[in-house]
Amino acid sequence: MTEDLYITVKLPFNVANEPAKLLLSTALLFRYAVLKLHNALLNSGERIFSLYTLKRKYRSLTQRILYNRRYADGAINLVYVTWSSASVLGINPADIEWNWWLLFQQTEKEFPCTNITLKADFTVDVTVVHFTGRTGRVKLKPTIPKGY
């Protein structure tokens, strides 16, 4: 069995105007897709047995919100791992509190990663989704802290 490797890179960056709006809309749409899926699962009363089944049944729901399959699957993955963790801890899914957060993630085993791409020149190309469904790319130049 192969071990999945996930890397989270947190780097500060400054962005303004249209790129900032696009990053914010992507994060807000991602959050909305997660909450919509969570509520749909609560209302259906279904038990989640596999990520595959969850994607097969609910990808269209999240993709209608995010317009991007990779981000839609990332939202499904977040709900899946949250519900799985709650189950292990004996927490009822209805008691899960999502609080206030903004993020978006791609969880595909894809190389090179297409939605969030780290470049050799230390820039990051990010696929963004506007509230209207229009997609595009934003280039970020993060500030890399010393010793990172």
Side-chain angles (χ1 to χ4, degrees), residues 109-129:
K109 292 180 183 175
E110 176 179 70
F111 184 80
C113 224
T114 56
N115 276 8
I116 303 169
T117 309
L118 303 174
K119 299 291 197 168
D121 65 353
F122 300 106
T123 61
V124 181
D125 285 342
V126 179
T127 299
V128 290
V129 183

Side-chain angles (χ1 to χ4, degrees), residues 7-123:
I7 298 173
T8 300
V9 179
K10 294 194 249 180
L11 296 172
F13 62 90
N14 292 314
V15 67
N17 302 323
E18 189 63 19
K21 291 177 190 175
L22 291 170
L23 289 167
L24 182 60
S25 68
T26 305
L28 286 169
L29 288 169
F30 188 90
R31 176 181 170 75
Y32 180 64
V34 166
L35 296 175
K36 188 81 167 173
L37 175 58
H38 175 73
N39 287 328
L41 288 169
L42 287 176
N43 292 334
S44 73
E46 288 182 72
R47 295 195 54 191
I48 300 173
F49 293 107
S50 77
L51 181 58
Y52 173 79
T53 303
L54 196 61
K55 283 181 182 179
R56 193 169 43 86
K57 289 185 82 172
Y58 290 99
R59 178 180 281 157
S60 64
L61 172 74
T62 57
Q63 201 165 354
R64 279 194 309 268
I65 297 166
L66 280 164
Y67 310 102
N68 178 290
R69 185 190 56 79
R70 289 173 183 88
Y71 286 154
D73 285 354
I76 292 169
N77 190 67
L78 182 59
V79 171
Y80 175 75
V81 298
T82 302
W83 276 51
S84 296
S85 297
S87 175
V88 168
L89 296 170
I91 297 171
N92 183 338
D95 294 332
I96 294 172
E97 293 181 17
W98 292 96
N99 292 326
W100 182 245
W101 50 266
L102 288 175
L103 69 90
F104 50 94
Q105 67 182 10
Q106 172 180 331
T107 56
E108 295 278 322
K109 292 180 183 175
E110 176 179 70
F111 184 80
C113 224
T114 56
N115 276 8
I116 303 169
T117 309
L118 303 174
K119 299 291 197 168
D121 65 353
F122 300 106
T123 61

